[in-house]
Amino acid sequence: MANSKFEYVRNFEQTDSLLPNTWIVVRVDGRAFTKMCAKYGFEKPNDRRALDLMNAAAKAVVTDLPEAMIAYGVSDEYSFVFHKSCNLFERRASKLVSTIVSTFTANYVYSWPICFPGTPLSFPLPTFDGRAVCYPSLQNLRDYLSWRQVDCHINNLYNTTFWSLIQLGGLDNKEAERILAGTLAAEKNEILFSKFHINYNNEPEIFKKGSVIFRDYELVDPDSHAVALEMDDLAEPLQQSKTQVEKDKKKRAKARVVVEHIDLIKDEFWDKRPWILS
Ligand code: ATP
Ligand code: ATP
Ligand code: MG
Ligand code: MG
Ligand code: MG
Ligand code: MG
């Protein structure tokens, strides 16, 4: 097939490689999940089965692509982080995004019957969109993840109060919206507590914080310089030799992939797990 007269059409392909030496975030988001919620009767505000399913699909992506350093999920979205030195698919945006979206979607559909036994899928099937964004500094990347987690908190506090007013308070959507318009977080907490005896702090962590997926090595004491893993193996990724890269890849591929509901905004998570972004 080489050198056929048709081959020139390859030159129409546009290069779309992402800026080198930047952190890549690929975010997938469910298409028209507001309708999906109604169609499959998701519990409001948080259907645990649907969250477990998102986590199962995302865990499969992280397991399948050892280059993914960490992933964060809330609602119908998941963000996958790739190291600034990552060269997967030569950093081609369309290859990265399409592979992640299809791996995620395939696993979502595959795991559906496990999370929703007795509720078969029907058309239209669940689908996801995806995008890739580059973040030039570690601070930008941390801020990105903090942004998603703050969003999770703000939406969850609103939704928990909104649905309590409806499900427990007997209001309709419009009345609940009116009561919540312009309220601060403290006022929502107060409504939950005084009207419904709900202490927001006691709500499940998965609802309040979302889900974090990463490879679990041994925890590091942030105050000591002794590091559990041979950290020098992971340092200076841009100068790593080929064999070193291969060694790291194998190590990552072998590590246990875990799902936790934990704060990513403060330093503690990162200080205890320096390998995640090293
Ligand atoms: P788009 O295609 O533009 O993304 P969408 O309807 O999916 O449209 P989103 O902004 O992504 O809009 O919102 C997702 C919707 O799905 C929200 O209303 C959210 O509350 C709901 N949702 C997602 N996951 C769950 C869940 N586990 N339990 C209950 N509701 C959920
Ligand atoms: P990549 O991930 O880079 O695409 P790949 O292994 O999928 O790697 P392709 O160039 O896409 O590489 O080639 C697809 C391979 O699958 C070829 O070897 C092709 O012969 C084989 N293949 C695809 N469809 C069929 C089919 N229906 N029957 C037999 N072999 C097939
Ligand atoms: Mg969207
Ligand atoms: Mg959506
Ligand atoms: Mg969404
Ligand atoms: Mg192929």
Side-chain angles (χ1 to χ4, degrees), residues 61-62 65-71 80-83 88 215 252:
V61 170
V62 173
L65 299 171
E67 293 85 353
M69 319 288 291
I70 186 164
F80 299 90
V81 176
F82 295 86
H83 197 273
L88 183 61
R215 291 191 168 69
R252 287 184 195 287

Side-chain angles (χ1 to χ4, degrees), residues 29-31 76 129 131:
D29 184 281
R31 178 165 182 226
D76 68 339
D129 67 35
R131 71 195 68 182

Side-chain angles (χ1 to χ4, degrees), residues 147-190:
W147 172 50
R148 296 326 299 143
Q149 194 163 48
V150 166
D151 215 52
C152 170
H153 164 73
I154 292 170
N155 289 334
N156 191 55
L157 178 57
Y158 182 93
N159 290 338
T160 304
T161 317
F162 178 80
W163 286 101
S164 297
L165 287 166
I166 292 169
Q167 293 163 346
L168 306 172
L171 301 191
D172 65 28
N173 288 20
K174 282 269 170 304
E175 291 168 327
E177 253 169 40
R178 200 156 358 101
I179 286 186
L180 290 179
T183 52
L184 303 172
E187 294 167 286
K188 293 187 190 77
N189 276 301
E190 184 54 28

Side-chain angles (χ1 to χ4, degrees), residues 29-34 37 42-47 50-51 75-76 159:
D29 184 281
R31 178 165 182 226
F33 262 49
T34 310
C37 293
F42 283 15
E43 276 164 43
K44 286 304 206 174
N46 292 292
D47 189 302
L51 294 176
S75 180
D76 68 339
N159 290 338

Side-chain angles (χ1 to χ4, degrees), residues 41-220:
F42 283 15
E43 276 164 43
K44 286 304 206 174
N46 292 292
D47 189 302
R48 183 61 204 250
R49 301 165 299 174
L51 294 176
D52 288 343
L53 181 52
M54 289 292 293
N55 290 341
K59 196 175 172 188
V61 170
V62 173
T63 305
D64 205 41
L65 299 171
E67 293 85 353
M69 319 288 291
I70 186 164
Y72 176 72
V74 48
S75 180
D76 68 339
E77 69 169 62
Y78 240 102
S79 300
F80 299 90
V81 176
F82 295 86
H83 197 273
K84 63 192 175 99
S85 71
C86 175
N87 203 32
L88 183 61
F89 304 129
E90 286 86 42
R91 298 173 76 86
R92 287 162 65 187
S94 55
K95 286 272 233 178
L96 273 167
V97 172
S98 59
T99 300
I100 289 163
V101 169
S102 69
T103 306
F104 188 92
T105 307
N107 280 281
Y108 188 94
V109 170
Y110 177 82
S111 297
W112 177 276
I114 301 164
C115 296
F116 285 89
T119 308
L121 271 179
S122 59
F123 294 99
L125 295 171
T127 54
F128 293 82
D129 67 35
R131 71 195 68 182
V133 182
C134 293
Y135 294 99
S137 72
L138 199 54
Q139 189 60 52
N140 294 150
L141 176 70
R142 288 267 315 259
D143 289 346
Y144 171 82
L145 293 166
S146 300
W147 172 50
R148 296 326 299 143
Q149 194 163 48
V150 166
D151 215 52
C152 170
H153 164 73
I154 292 170
N155 289 334
N156 191 55
L157 178 57
Y158 182 93
N159 290 338
T160 304
T161 317
F162 178 80
W163 286 101
S164 297
L165 287 166
I166 292 169
Q167 293 163 346
L168 306 172
L171 301 191
D172 65 28
N173 288 20
K174 282 269 170 304
E175 291 168 327
E177 253 169 40
R178 200 156 358 101
I179 286 186
L180 290 179
T183 52
L184 303 172
E187 294 167 286
K188 293 187 190 77
N189 276 301
E190 184 54 28
I191 292 171
L192 281 175
F193 197 71
S194 61
K195 285 196 198 296
F196 309 115
H197 310 293
I198 294 172
N199 182 345
Y200 183 76
N201 291 332
N202 297 337
E203 288 292 292
E205 292 297 302
I206 185 173
F207 300 164
K208 288 186 296 181
K209 298 216 167 61
S211 299
V212 185
I213 300 183
F214 55 94
R215 291 191 168 69
D216 200 17
Y217 300 96
E218 259 177 274
L219 284 185
V220 172

